[in-house]
Amino acid sequence: MKERPIPIESFFGNDHIDLAFRIFEMKPRSTPSSLDPHRHDFYEIFVFEEGAGEHSIDFTDYEIANRTLHFVAPGQVHWVQRSLDSHGYLIAFSLSFFSHGEKIEDLLSHLPFFHSDNEPSLTFEKPEFDKIKSLCSQLFHELSSRKTGMTELLRAYLKILLIECKRHVELNPGSPSTTTNSRNSEFQLFRKEVERNFRSSRQVQDYTAALGYSHQKLNELVKEKTGKTVLEFIHQRLILEAKRLLFFSDNSIKEVAYTLNFEDPSNFSKFFKSKTGYSPNQIRQGLGLS
């Protein structure tokens, strides 16, 4: 099998706009639309007004359906196969555009659909979706206008759109976002710590020390938010990155092991199989990716 690198796309700047925000109309097509697997360093929101197909995000397939939004965060591997009649909008933006040097980026960290351990797909009833569609239309026309104050309005419309999506999640029974804001904030601090350090640190005590929590308190928090222990959460993130590197990159299994801070590649293979039931070679062949 030929090994395949993962394309990592940076923000597009070929349309003479010095702004890390874009919105495109996804129109019905006369030929099938399919994107090859790739990842990028910015956020994307796919707004499907109508249509069908599949959108694979980190080895899980999500249905493209009417009035559905799909969210892709930086670093996630994804590809899209949409039907001829599918249409809607595609929004892309960077963290720097959204935050603009303010603490507004905290909103992004509290949006569950932008995190790999949560569902990245939301389906709306028509009245709710009409609000989303209207905001997309405002974003599209504002970006086309090039008027004074355009950047501030784009940022405001985008924030409103994301808050509407967050509200939609919170109104669903059992949503992790329905717990208290303080508990959400505590969990986001843990999540950020894992994202920064999962390659180099797999010891629970490293995270309890960094956050100032007891082992029991941190376990209770993570269990409440995810149903997993702290160690299970760390291992889940490590396995996801291993799958990405094994299936999409041109690194050898030994190089993947070293990238993930395993000194002995055989220990990496044993760890990987114990968590997934598959060997690294089987993942490379496309088995056990769901």
Side-chain angles (χ1 to χ4, degrees):
M1 174 181 173
K2 185 179 180 180
E3 296 170 352
R4 294 151 292 178
I6 317 175
I8 302 177
E9 299 179 0
S10 293
F11 217 90
F12 13 77
N14 58 357
D15 49 8
H16 309 293
I17 306 174
D18 185 20
L19 188 68
F21 174 90
R22 300 290 187 278
I23 179 166
F24 306 95
E25 285 187 295
M26 293 189 292
K27 297 180 179 180
R29 303 169 62 93
S30 57
T31 57
S33 171
S34 178
L35 291 177
D36 291 331
H38 65 284
R39 57 181 173 179
H40 32 69
D41 59 5
F42 49 89
Y43 293 85
E44 283 188 334
I45 306 172
F46 290 78
V47 181
F48 297 106
E49 183 175 358
E50 290 183 347
E54 285 188 341
H55 187 180
S56 180
I57 305 173
D58 275 338
F59 310 108
T60 300
D61 293 334
Y62 298 93
E63 180 186 6
I64 295 172
N66 296 349
R67 302 187 305 277
T68 299
L69 271 64
H70 292 178
F71 301 84
V72 182
Q76 290 189 300
V77 179
H78 76 117
W79 64 95
V80 183
Q81 292 181 313
R82 63 184 180 95
S83 62
L84 298 179
D85 62 342
S86 65
H87 61 275
Y89 291 93
L90 171 59
I91 300 169
F93 63 95
S94 70
L95 174 60
S96 61
F97 167 80
F98 188 75
S99 65
H100 194 50
E102 302 173 5
K103 291 187 177 180
I104 194 171
E105 70 267 20
D106 290 345
L107 172 61
L108 287 178
S109 70
H110 285 81
L111 299 175
F113 36 79
F114 271 133
H115 297 294
S116 60
D117 52 310
N118 284 314
E119 182 80 9
S121 174
L122 300 178
T123 300
F124 293 81
E125 296 298 324
K126 191 176 185 306
E128 284 184 294
F129 186 82
D130 285 345
K131 290 183 184 179
I132 300 297
K133 182 180 175 182
S134 175
L135 286 164
C136 289
S137 178
Q138 288 173 295
L139 284 164
F140 185 83
H141 290 295
E142 188 60 37
L143 184 62
S144 302
S145 75
R146 308 289 196 272
K147 292 180 180 177
T148 303
M150 175 190 72
T151 302
E152 288 76 13
L153 275 176
L154 289 173
R155 195 174 290 118
Y157 289 142
L158 177 60
K159 183 179 179 183
I160 293 168
L161 187 151
L162 289 171
I163 290 172
E164 288 285 355
C165 293
K166 183 173 183 284
R167 177 181 290 173
H168 175 83
V169 173
E170 290 172 343
L171 291 174
N172 290 333
S175 163
S177 297
T178 58
T179 54
T180 63
N181 286 335
S182 62
R183 297 291 278 174
N184 277 333
S185 297
E186 290 171 350
F187 179 68
Q188 297 311 325
L189 288 174
F190 166 72
R191 192 201 295 273
K192 287 179 181 179
E193 196 69 22
V194 171
E195 195 61 31
R196 280 195 295 264
N197 299 305
F198 73 89
R199 293 175 185 82
S200 59
S201 175
R202 296 185 289 278
Q203 303 299 316
V204 174
Q205 57 263 35
D206 293 339
Y207 295 93
T208 57
L211 297 170
Y213 292 164
S214 68
H215 192 144
Q216 180 180 349
K217 181 180 177 182
L218 189 57
N219 253 338
E220 288 173 352
L221 173 65
V222 177
K223 198 88 170 175
E224 173 190 320
K225 303 298 289 183
T226 70
K228 297 177 176 62
T229 66
V230 174
L231 192 60
E232 287 169 342
F233 187 92
I234 297 166
H235 286 173
Q236 174 184 269
R237 182 63 185 90
L238 190 64
I239 289 297
L240 173 59
E241 195 65 19
K243 284 183 175 182
R244 290 173 176 172
L245 293 170
L246 288 167
F247 192 67
F248 292 110
S249 81
D250 56 1
N251 295 335
S252 68
I253 292 173
K254 181 186 290 187
E255 288 170 329
V256 171
Y258 291 151
T259 297
L260 298 176
N261 206 36
F262 285 84
E263 294 182 1
D264 185 345
S266 66
N267 287 341
F268 165 70
S269 296
K270 290 175 185 175
F271 169 81
F272 189 87
K273 187 163 188 179
S274 73
K275 299 301 176 185
T276 67
Y278 294 88
S279 70
N281 268 325
Q282 287 175 310
I283 294 295
R284 183 140 276 178
Q285 294 163 18
L287 301 175
L289 291 174
S290 59

